[in-house]
């Protein structure tokens, strides 16, 4: 498995995996598949080129199988914080340590990012596997946002977590 930071040149593969994630694990993401599928690849390329964000990916034989993004907040009072988002590992990689290794890459980058002190995330409160992963990675629960998402007539609560660097 190859682990590396993604660039705008990875936009097509990233978009393809992201759309797969939004279809297969819709409740894990606040982005809607139909909305995301309407966005052009150029928008994805722009996101991957954003200097306030870094996305890491795990590749096997040239195929992107897992990804996660770190988005730094840009305000004067909030730039010490970053959000971990768009985390997804293809079914075939789950339980293999790929996500842990990918998170280690992201964490290493975060620790070197000047002035960054805290990572934050929101995870579907009904996803115990993801919650256990984040807790093993050092995140602590800090609260819940009830009804954070609404999918048709169903509400999804999100567990808020933080990791101090």
């Amino acid at each position: 498995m190859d682990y590396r930071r993604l660039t705008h040149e990875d936009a097509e593969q990233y978009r393809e995996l992201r759309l797969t994630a939004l279809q297969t694990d819709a409740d894990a993401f606040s982005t809607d598949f139909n909305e995301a599928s309407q966005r052009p690849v150029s928008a994805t390329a722009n996101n991957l080129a954003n200097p306030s964000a870094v996305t890491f990916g795990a590749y096997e034989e040239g195929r992107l199988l897992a990804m996660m993004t770190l988005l730094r907040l840009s305000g004067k009072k909030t730039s010490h914080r970053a959000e971990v988002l768009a985390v997804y590992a293809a079914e075939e990689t789950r339980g293999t340590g790929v996500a842990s290794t990918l998170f280690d890459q992201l964490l290493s980058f975060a620790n070197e990012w000047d002035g960054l002190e805290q990572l934050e995330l929101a995870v579907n409160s009904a996803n115990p596997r993801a919650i256990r992963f984040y807790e093993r990675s050092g995140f602590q629960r800090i609260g819940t946002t009830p009804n954070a998402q609404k999918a048709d007539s169903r509400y999804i609560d999100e567990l808020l977590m933080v990791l101090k660097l």
Side-chain angles (χ1 to χ4, degrees), residues 95-116:
T96 66
V98 167
S100 293
T101 302
L102 194 57
F103 181 74
D104 289 345
Q105 298 277 316
L106 182 134
L107 187 57
S108 177
F109 183 90
N111 279 313
E112 297 298 320
W113 208 345
D114 190 41
L116 189 60

Side-chain angles (χ1 to χ4, degrees), residues 1-3 57-60 65-68 88-90 92-105 133:
M1 194 72 63
D2 257 343
Y3 299 88
Y59 283 85
E60 187 170 66
L65 295 174
M67 62 195 180
M68 59 182 63
Y88 180 75
E92 66 211 66
T93 68
R94 295 179 189 175
T96 66
V98 167
S100 293
T101 302
L102 194 57
F103 181 74
D104 289 345
Q105 298 277 316
F133 170 77

Side-chain angles (χ1 to χ4, degrees), residues 2-3 23 26 31 35-36 38 44 51 54 56 60 74 88-89 94 100 106 108 117 139 145 150 152 156 159:
D2 257 343
Y3 299 88
Q23 278 189 307
T31 303
E35 289 174 345
Q38 299 301 312
T44 302
V54 59
F56 290 92
E60 187 170 66
S74 60
Y88 180 75
R94 295 179 189 175
S100 293
L106 182 134
S108 177
E117 300 173 11
F139 283 87
T145 302
K150 186 176 180 181
D152 297 319
I156 299 167
L159 179 63

